């Protein structure tokens, strides 16, 4: 039986109470640990079945989140390697993996913040879209290093995650301006770099991130302004190695406007869009600053996606 606490985590991910790919992944791994600890299953097989059901539920909450899927897959691969003999051992493995995963996430955001902060130009104006914990980490570290960066945040319709970024950066001491998304072209001339997060990266280095990212990349390209994406290697989607096309999550129309007030109008609400690799200067990862063409090789080097999921 799926635990009530797990259902509540799924609800919070779906509603964006938990947002940003890394927080989503972190909560998903925690949900597995909660399920394991609360499980009353009597056999290893039945408990594995419960964990698979929970993993499927979690993965369905946000279809454009490979970091969540990669992280869950990692826990399952550890279970397979450890080959628990009884339910107690299985519970201990899942709990340990949850703890180790949190430590590894802390290490990776520390490294990304360090690499990213070094990459930011001294005294630079950085244009930011949406809310990414990784981007905030880089900007806060750059500020700490004395790089005197300042930020222009797009508010990010329809859910305004950019306002969260603006508040967090301002609290961290970074001089910050907030603009509406449609003002990007009016302000891009003031920017020295664009910095966004990443939800998914495909096998040719294309980026899938919050809707509006690809328009900003085009505008930046036209003005020759460097465009960076801050991304853990777990954002790489190994399914794209085998021909899968990244599914773009379409969210409820009511996030955009009340459908009752728009009789006969189809309201569309895609959450993400795809930015071609050619518009991306570099990905800032825990293994360093990488051009899009090196991302896949480095992710595979980390053990992500080496096995064809269709092969038995
Ligand atoms: C958030 C978003 C972020 C990435 C990266 O979208 O697009 O740029 O998830 O975030 P949403 P992080 O608000 O729909 O989740 O760096 O925190 O992983």
């Amino acid at each position: 039986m799926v635990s009530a606490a797990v259902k509540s985590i799924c609800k919070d991910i779906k509603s964006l109470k938990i947002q940003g790919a890394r927080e989503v992944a972190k909560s998903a791994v925690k949900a597995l640990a909660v399920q394991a600890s609360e499980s009353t299953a009597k056999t290893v097989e039945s408990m594995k079945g419960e964990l698979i059901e929970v993993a499927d539920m979690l993965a369905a909450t946000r279809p454009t989140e490979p970091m969540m899927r990669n992280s869950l897959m990692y826990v399952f691969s550890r279970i397979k390697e450890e080959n628990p003999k009884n339910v107690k051992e299985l519970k201990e493995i899942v709990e340990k993996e949850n703890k180790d995963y949190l430590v590894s996430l802390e290490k990776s955001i520390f490294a990304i913040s360090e690499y990213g902060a070094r990459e930011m130009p001294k005294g630079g104006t950085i244009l930011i879209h949406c809310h990414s914990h990784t981007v905030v980490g880089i900007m806060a570290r750059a500020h700490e290093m004395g790089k005197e960066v300042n930020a222009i945040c797009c508010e990010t319709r329809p859910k305004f995650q950019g306002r969260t970024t603006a508040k967090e950066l301002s609290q961290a001491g970074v001089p910050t301006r907030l603009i509406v998304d449609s003002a990007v072209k009016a302000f891009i001339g003031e920017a020295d770099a664009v910095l966004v997060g990443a939800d998914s990266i495909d096998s040719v280095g294309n980026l899938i991130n919050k809707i509006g990212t690809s328009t900003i990349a085009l505008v930046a390209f036209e003005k020759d302004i460097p465009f960076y994406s801050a991304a853990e290697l777990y954002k790489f989607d190994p399914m794209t190695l085998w021909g899968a096309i990244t599914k773009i999550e379409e969210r409820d129309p009511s996030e955009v406007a009340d459908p009752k007030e728009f009789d006969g109008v189809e309201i569309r609400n895609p959450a993400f869009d795809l930015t071609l690799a050619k518009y991306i200067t570099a990905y800032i990862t825990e293994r360093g600053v990488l051009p899009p063409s090196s991302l896949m090789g480095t992710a595979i080097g980390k053990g992500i996606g080496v096995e064809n999921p269709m092969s038995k």
Side-chain angles (χ1 to χ4, degrees):
M1 211 176 68
V2 175
S3 127
V6 169
K7 285 185 189 155
S8 154
I9 292 174
C10 287
K11 202 165 144 235
D12 288 349
I13 294 175
K14 186 92 198 153
S15 70
L16 298 186
K17 192 167 169 197
I18 298 169
Q19 67 78 228
R22 75 190 317 273
E23 285 305 307
V24 167
K26 205 197 262 186
S27 307
V29 173
K30 180 181 157 199
L32 266 195
V34 169
Q35 181 66 33
S37 83
E38 291 185 8
S39 174
T40 52
K42 298 282 177 281
T43 66
V44 168
E45 281 318 304
S46 65
M47 194 166 141
K48 276 188 194 166
E50 274 181 13
L51 295 177
I52 290 169
E53 188 186 342
V54 163
D56 286 344
M57 265 178 71
L58 288 159
T61 55
R62 303 224 52 197
T64 320
E65 297 297 359
M67 182 165 181
M68 163 162 57
R69 294 195 295 271
N70 288 333
S71 305
L72 292 169
M73 290 288 282
Y74 179 75
V75 178
F76 283 102
S77 73
R78 293 290 305 131
I79 294 171
K80 196 172 164 196
E81 276 166 35
E82 295 280 328
N83 193 20
K85 302 284 174 296
N86 53 49
V87 166
K88 183 172 170 285
E89 275 181 29
L90 178 50
K91 287 187 179 208
E92 283 166 3
I93 293 165
V94 180
E95 180 50 34
K96 179 179 179 307
E97 290 311 321
N98 180 34
K99 284 197 183 123
D100 290 355
Y101 181 71
L102 291 180
V103 173
S104 80
L105 275 191
E106 280 317 303
K107 281 188 189 155
S108 65
I109 200 164
F110 180 82
I112 295 174
S113 301
E114 203 61 31
Y115 286 124
R118 282 188 225 156
E119 193 71 15
M120 293 301 109
K122 180 139 174 87
T125 297
I126 315 299
L127 192 131
I128 297 168
H129 189 53
C130 197
H131 178 256
S132 147
H133 301 82
T134 327
V135 164
V136 171
I138 290 175
M139 291 296 285
R141 181 69 189 119
H143 177 71
E144 237 174 53
M145 275 179 175
K147 294 207 87 169
E148 294 171 2
V149 286
N150 70 90
I152 301 177
C153 299
C154 300
E155 65 178 352
T156 318
R157 280 275 295 151
K159 295 290 280 181
F160 303 113
Q161 292 94 325
R163 294 182 183 182
T164 306
T165 308
K167 284 180 192 161
E168 289 181 3
L169 290 182
S170 180
Q171 272 160 20
V174 176
T176 300
R177 284 175 279 172
L178 180 68
I179 60 169
V180 295
D181 301 342
S182 42
V184 161
K185 197 155 181 288
F187 284 87
I188 196 78
E190 294 185 34
D192 298 291
V194 174
L195 178 60
V196 296
D199 285 280
S200 182
I201 302 165
D202 72 16
S203 58
V204 290
N206 299 327
L207 165 71
I208 293 88
N209 191 53
K210 179 55 57 189
I211 191 82
T213 301
S214 66
T215 314
I216 299 173
L218 282 174
V219 174
F221 189 75
E222 195 198 42
K223 297 269 182 203
D224 222 5
I225 291 162
F227 181 99
Y228 295 97
S229 166
E232 256 115 355
L233 290 167
Y234 259 12
K235 306 278 175 80
F236 174 65
D237 184 352
M239 297 301 282
T240 61
L241 280 169
W242 311 102
I245 305 290
T246 306
K247 188 171 174 349
I248 302 285
E249 174 188 355
E250 177 108 19
R251 295 183 58 83
D252 201 285
S254 64
E255 288 182 352
V256 176
D258 183 352
K260 286 197 234 75
E261 291 175 18
F262 290 86
D263 201 20
V265 176
E266 184 193 15
I267 301 171
R268 298 291 308 272
N269 187 18
F272 304 105
D273 63 20
L274 182 143
T275 301
L276 290 174
K278 68 177 177 182
Y279 299 122
I280 298 162
T281 309
Y283 286 105
I284 302 168
T285 77
E286 66 273 32
R287 296 262 168 105
V289 179
L290 307 173
S293 53
S294 310
L295 196 288
M296 176 183 74
T298 315
I300 291 175
K302 198 177 167 167
I304 302 167
V306 281
E307 202 177 317
N308 182 344
M310 302 308 283
S311 70
K312 255 279 170 224

